[in-house]
Amino acid sequence: MPIAKEKPYIGRFAPSPSGPLHFGSLVAALASYLDAKASHGLWLVRVEDIDPPREQPGATETILMALDAYGMHWDGEVLYQSKREEAYQRVLEQLWEGGLLYPCNCTRKKLAGLNGVYPGFCRQKTSYPDNEPFALRLKCTDSKISFRDKIQGDQSVRLADLGDFILRRKDLLYAYQLAVCVDDQYQGVTHIVRGYDLLDSTPRQLYLQSLLEYRHPVYAHIPVITQVAGGEKLSKQNRAKALPLDYPRPLLVKAMKALGLQPDNDLLASSVDEILLWGVEQWDINKVPKVPEIPMPMLL
Ligand code: GLU
């Protein structure tokens, strides 16, 4: 009988350098790391530095230092999206030539109150407006996108409910949805483990991947960590506390607990590498809470 060859696994963590890593991003990094390593896969790091207005000087270095301090060593070289602009531009041109994009100069004011769902005001435009900034939007069909999330289960969304989305912004920056698809394909990513806040981006990315004839990765969305008071998602924008670099073990153990693992207190006495090895051995994606968010545990 032929031995079934296991499909290679390539996972990734893709932080935006808008601030240092916090407990929520530690949980996200750890989930993608453990899932990759438990599958004997590669774990890549990609710095999503394509939005300079939102970036914080020095954040990239701090993020990479934190990953190192928490024992999560990436495979290969870090990929920087700021160096990938030519690739994004080529894909935009391909989509434009295929008649799949249109220029949109709608103002924020015009779109207020539409809950982020673009109603197609500029859909018929075929040429660029003169002397006016414009975004490029992807024409979406009214199809249904269904997929099975490895944590959150079956998902099904009508693209029309999300609206035509932007691939190049008015300020000429490439949009996240474009860059993420181009780079996941370029890096051969097969599995994406990330926060629940990106679950509604997944149908958009699946659609774009189909248009570009890219392969579809497997998706798993972990709960986001929220502030205890207020229930707001921990984020770099709301100045969630940066991870301490000199005392990683307690937070690493708490992050494992947030992902459904049950370390006992002895593990705290182990080294960072031993804690991670324990996590890889114990990892079971079915144990990750199947909820959108969980409150921040008491730290230290
Ligand atoms: N750069 C995104 C973020 O920091 C994550 C992108 C992704 O995992 O697809 O929220």
Side-chain angles (χ1 to χ4, degrees):
M1 210 169 72
I3 301 168
K5 233 176 140 194
E6 260 188 69
K7 276 220 282 186
Y9 181 120
I10 302 182
R12 49 66 159 186
F13 176 57
S16 306
S18 48
L21 293 188
H22 48 73
F23 184 72
S25 30
L26 171 65
V27 174
L30 184 63
S32 63
Y33 176 88
L34 294 179
D35 200 54
K37 293 297 157 184
S39 308
H40 309 286
L42 296 178
W43 185 67
L44 311 180
V45 169
R46 179 169 77 226
V47 173
E48 303 212 316
D49 51 352
I50 41 158
D51 192 355
R54 287 186 54 204
E55 281 156 27
Q56 206 185 76
T60 295
E61 292 68 29
T62 319
I63 289 172
L64 296 178
M65 266 162 57
L67 292 175
D68 253 333
Y70 282 74
M72 289 180 271
H73 308 299
W74 52 89
D75 293 298
E77 302 272 307
V78 173
L79 183 72
Y80 292 87
Q81 289 195 321
S82 54
K83 303 211 170 101
R84 298 268 305 142
E85 300 202 339
E86 268 175 42
Y88 308 146
Q89 187 56 35
R90 272 201 304 275
V91 172
L92 275 186
E93 282 162 18
Q94 179 190 339
L95 292 167
W96 176 263
E97 275 155 27
L100 293 161
L101 298 182
Y102 60 88
C104 168
N105 56 355
C106 290
T107 56
R108 223 173 258 211
K109 203 167 146 199
K110 187 164 178 187
L111 301 179
L114 294 169
N115 283 333
V117 182
Y118 186 68
F121 294 136
C122 293
R123 229 172 189 234
Q124 306 312 327
K125 287 203 175 107
T126 49
S127 58
Y128 303 149
D130 287 333
N131 305 323
E132 226 188 305
F134 60 90
L136 289 171
R137 283 188 189 268
L138 183 69
K139 261 184 216 161
C140 295
T141 53
D142 184 18
S143 48
K144 196 155 102 182
I145 304 279
S146 302
F147 65 101
R148 173 160 296 175
D149 186 275
K150 274 185 88 183
I151 297 171
Q152 308 293 345
D154 287 337
Q155 310 289 319
S156 194
V157 181
R158 295 211 79 85
L159 275 179
D161 294 339
L162 300 174
D164 295 342
F165 53 96
I166 289 179
L167 294 189
R168 203 220 57 198
R169 296 170 11 181
K170 255 188 199 175
D171 55 8
L172 302 182
L173 294 176
Y174 298 99
Y176 158 69
Q177 306 291 2
L178 173 73
V180 79
C181 288
V182 174
D183 287 343
D184 284 332
Q185 171 75 9
Y186 174 67
Q187 295 187 284
V189 170
T190 60
H191 290 71
I192 294 180
V193 181
R194 61 185 179 190
Y196 191 95
D197 53 326
L198 291 166
L199 184 63
D200 64 357
S201 285
T202 303
R204 296 180 171 109
Q205 292 168 18
L206 288 167
Y207 180 62
L208 188 52
Q209 288 156 5
S210 298
L211 292 178
L212 295 167
E213 294 178 21
Y214 289 174
R215 92 190 87 66
H216 298 302
V218 173
Y219 288 90
H221 289 83
I222 63 159
V224 296
I225 308 293
T226 56
Q227 308 274 12
V228 183
E232 203 185 331
K233 176 192 166 227
L234 284 192
S235 75
K236 295 164 190 155
Q237 284 74 42
N238 63 25
R239 298 180 184 281
K241 225 163 118 203
L243 290 177
L245 300 192
D246 51 350
Y247 194 46
R249 290 172 298 145
L251 290 196
L252 201 50
V253 169
K254 296 238 165 161
M256 301 237 177
K257 286 188 182 157
L259 291 168
L261 298 178
Q262 290 173 318
D264 56 35
N265 287 340
D266 295 351
L267 196 63
L268 266 182
S270 308
S271 68
V272 163
D273 288 348
E274 284 165 344
I275 296 174
L276 284 172
L277 206 59
W278 178 89
V280 171
E281 280 162 8
Q282 298 295 316
W283 177 247
D284 178 358
I285 204 161
N286 297 310
K287 292 197 176 137
V288 177
K290 296 173 184 19
V291 292
E293 50 183 54
I294 47 179
M296 172 99 164
M298 294 291 285
L299 301 177
L300 305 182

